[in-house]
Amino acid sequence: MRLLLIFSLTLLVLICGDMFQVFSEVPTTPKILFTSSRDGNSDIYMMNPDGSEPVNLTQHPASDMSAVWSPTGDQILFVSDRQGTRVRDLYVMNPDGSNVRRVFKKKITDWRTSPTWSPDGKKFAYISTDRIRIKSGLYLGTFGEEDAELLPYGNFPAWSPDGSEIACSEPHQFGSRLTFINVRTRDREQPIPDKTLRWQRHPSWSAGGDKLAISGNKHPLPVVLDRALHNAWADKYGIYIVNRDGTGLRQLVKEAGSDARLPVLSPDGSEVVYTQEINGHYQIFKIDVNSGVRTQLTHVGWNADADWFDPTYALPVSPQPALLSTTWGEMKKK
């Protein structure tokens, strides 16, 4: 009985110790994840919202990109080609870049990209692309399970803070529409008319779920093979903010000038981080929603794919056993 008690207490200490270690790594101040090539390779970095103290989290010869925070900030989901340059898959790591592991165990030939985390921390959505048949789809996965469910088509998914729907971009008559997919019923809603904004892409939610930032283009790109005409409109994406019901659409970054995409709304809704081309390189900028003041956050190399975490708005989600299984397995080996 005594040996059983000692074993149980030891096991509890090991498990809790591992959980405390995970929690201890959660940022205590707001942090922005982004992808950068500043060290000669595509890696995932973390920086302060003012662009200071950038830290390379992956430092891997493979291409790592498109990182997103878990709801509690204790894990990071990202895309990498660590299986080979022709395959991109989903991986999870701790906030300091340690304990990297694949989400799926089965090897694939398709690309899994554009991940978004459910607010309960148990599920995720992503885009799977069959590069041979040039076909892609929006999928819903569960951590710890190999099978994923095909959802109504969409691109650039972003899970709502209340977990009820996934915002995405759906092709529509020489443009694209902001689309909300109800997670329970699979019903779709498109609140912004295409006449108002022809291209509606890259949705990002505020923490309250009442507003979104999107990239947009008022003009349809020609389908005909007129390269000059195509290039005339190709760099016309701007940044917009809109209410969840489609009202209050307001432009923050004008379409004229260099390409501006991939907006990320700050959790409090006061600022938007986005990617824009400047001097032949993509850099990350931040704009104040109310004043319109713009700040360039990155200056070296190629930078994109920002994702914002603020512990003040972190959702109270417990660590998922599936995310800790790899670490526990390594502990057992030792």
Side-chain angles (χ1 to χ4, degrees):
M1 185 69 180
R2 173 184 252 176
L3 291 176
L4 179 61
L5 179 60
I6 293 175
F7 175 78
S8 300
L9 290 174
T10 303
L11 182 62
L12 181 62
V13 168
L14 286 172
I15 294 176
C16 290
D18 185 55
M19 287 187 179
F20 292 151
Q21 181 181 2
V22 171
F23 273 121
S24 67
E25 296 169 350
V26 175
T28 57
T29 59
K31 296 290 184 181
I32 293 176
L33 293 173
F34 65 103
T35 304
S36 179
S37 66
R38 63 187 61 193
D39 288 335
N41 185 54
S42 177
D43 279 307
I44 294 169
Y45 286 72
M46 179 171 61
M47 66 179 173
N48 295 324
D50 62 0
S52 64
E53 299 181 0
V55 178
N56 188 335
L57 298 180
T58 50
Q59 301 182 16
H60 194 279
S63 294
D64 302 320
M65 63 200 77
S66 304
V68 289
W69 291 103
S70 69
T72 55
D74 63 331
Q75 299 291 318
I76 295 172
L77 180 63
F78 68 101
V79 176
S80 180
D81 63 359
R82 298 184 182 208
Q83 294 183 73
T85 56
R86 296 190 177 185
V87 176
R88 290 184 179 178
D89 208 352
L90 303 180
Y91 291 76
V92 177
M93 66 180 174
N94 292 343
D96 62 357
S98 64
N99 193 22
V100 177
R101 59 273 193 204
R102 288 179 58 201
V103 173
F104 294 96
K105 294 181 180 179
K106 295 179 181 178
K107 292 185 178 181
I108 60 170
T109 57
D110 297 345
W111 280 13
R112 295 186 178 113
T113 58
S114 303
T116 180
W117 214 306
S118 70
D120 66 1
K122 298 179 180 180
K123 296 180 179 294
F124 56 97
Y126 64 95
I127 299 299
S128 180
T129 303
D130 184 332
R131 296 180 298 116
I132 297 177
R133 293 182 293 176
I134 315 177
K135 181 180 179 182
S136 63
L138 174 60
Y139 285 81
L140 180 65
T142 302
F143 286 105
E145 298 182 6
E146 291 296 308
D147 295 328
E149 178 188 355
L150 179 63
L151 296 176
Y153 181 78
N155 212 342
F156 313 111
W159 213 306
S160 67
D162 66 2
S164 65
E165 54 191 358
I166 295 174
C168 60
S169 179
E170 184 176 295
H172 177 75
Q173 294 181 348
F174 310 128
S176 59
R177 298 279 299 274
L178 174 64
T179 303
F180 297 100
I181 300 175
N182 187 293
V183 175
R184 184 178 60 84
T185 65
R186 306 296 191 260
D187 292 338
R188 291 155 52 235
E189 178 186 356
Q190 297 176 327
I192 305 178
D194 59 354
K195 293 181 180 180
T196 302
L197 190 63
R198 177 67 65 176
W199 292 84
Q200 307 165 22
R201 312 178 77 183
H202 308 122
S204 170
W205 296 86
S206 65
D210 58 332
K211 294 182 181 296
L212 296 98
I214 60 174
S215 64
N217 186 318
K218 297 178 181 178
H219 309 281
L221 298 180
V223 178
V224 295
L225 298 178
D226 185 337
R227 187 169 297 277
L229 185 58
H230 173 85
N231 291 337
W233 292 119
D235 62 350
K236 298 300 181 180
Y237 276 88
I239 305 298
Y240 294 77
I241 191 169
V242 65
N243 295 328
R244 161 59 187 85
D245 61 4
T247 64
L249 181 69
R250 182 159 62 94
Q251 190 170 31
L252 301 178
V253 179
K254 294 182 179 181
E255 296 174 355
S258 58
D259 185 21
R261 305 190 184 203
L262 303 171
V264 174
L265 194 57
S266 66
D268 65 4
S270 66
E271 297 175 299
V272 174
V273 172
Y274 63 96
T275 301
Q276 187 167 31
E277 185 181 2
I278 180 171
N279 298 325
H281 288 82
Y282 280 102
Q283 301 294 345
I284 296 176
F285 292 81
K286 180 175 66 175
I287 187 169
D288 187 286
V289 171
N290 296 315
S291 68
V293 173
R294 190 180 77 153
T295 305
Q296 185 173 343
L297 301 183
T298 63
H299 300 81
V300 181
W302 175 95
N303 304 271
D305 293 334
D307 191 54
W308 200 316
F309 173 76
D310 188 336
T312 304
Y313 296 87
L315 298 176
V317 181
S318 300
Q320 300 302 317
L323 300 183
L324 301 175
S325 59
T326 302
T327 302
W328 176 233
E330 292 298 321
M331 290 171 58
K332 289 195 292 184
K333 291 179 183 179
K334 296 177 181 179

